[in-house]
Amino acid sequence: MKKIIDILKFYQDIGVEYTKKINLQDKEDIWKNLENEVVNCKKCSLFKERTNPVFGAGNKDARLMFVGEAPGRDEDKQGVPFVGRAGRLLNELLKDVGIDRKEIYIANCLKCRPPNNRDPLSSELKMCFGYLKRQIALIKPKVIVTLGRYSTYELTDEKAAMGQLIGRVFEFGNIKVVPIYHPAYLLRNPKAIDIFTRHLKKVKRLVEE
Ligand code: URA
């Protein structure tokens, strides 16, 4: 029963009307409108200092989606998620387990870079969450990997330390959510790379089963 309520709540959150429109409109138009909303967004003050919004990138029909925290300096310059040092490490680790970055979709909780890479504010996360939920609703991935605590807390509603959450399987609507470490954490703690890889392999199996 709880599962049904969760699923209904998920569709309510993304708006039933919106779901109806998906059937009537061309999906590409909906993507374009959503991206335009993000480009023109002034809901919080981050738009004032960013160079480019970072909407998200990858396969819009992906079965596997990754959600990070917020754009950093390189992402802000290029308007593309995970293209800096952390992104390069992520690419390598994906490749090691046989996941092609072209097959997945990557987005962030925040679409604009916080000044000097400061932590996202809860008000910013709240205001930006609607965009991410709509991206998820359009992609309908089978599995979402949350990279680090911000996306994990946002999509699981858990607030425990990452060490207690990584590798566990949560649900967001009827989508499986698996938290793992953020690649920036791995740059500072290379010993955690093995754990990351182990969980990434498990995620790959979950997508394929
Ligand atoms: N860190 C993130 O969380 N997202 C990016 O796009 C880049 C670095």
Side-chain angles (χ1 to χ4, degrees), residues 67 69 145-154 156 158-168 170 177-183 185 188 195-196 199:
V67 182
E69 180 181 316
V145 169
T146 51
L147 298 167
R149 64 194 161 120
Y150 287 99
S151 53
T152 298
Y153 295 167
E154 192 150 78
T156 67
E158 295 277 339
K159 293 285 178 284
M162 272 307 282
Q164 291 174 34
L165 301 175
I166 64 161
R168 285 171 57 187
F170 296 89
V177 174
V178 183
I180 47 180
Y181 289 128
H182 193 288
Y185 173 82
R188 297 189 303 272
I195 304 172
F196 183 98
H199 291 304

Side-chain angles (χ1 to χ4, degrees), residues 23 26 51 65 121 125:
N23 300 326
D26 178 29
T51 315
M65 177 170 180
L121 304 176
L125 289 164

Side-chain angles (χ1 to χ4, degrees), residues 65 67 107-109 111 128-137 151 154-155:
M65 177 170 180
V67 182
N108 284 307
C109 294
K111 309 305 188 205
C128 222
F129 192 30
Y131 298 131
L132 179 63
K133 279 200 275 191
R134 285 160 67 188
Q135 287 174 304
I136 294 170
S151 53
E154 192 150 78
L155 294 179

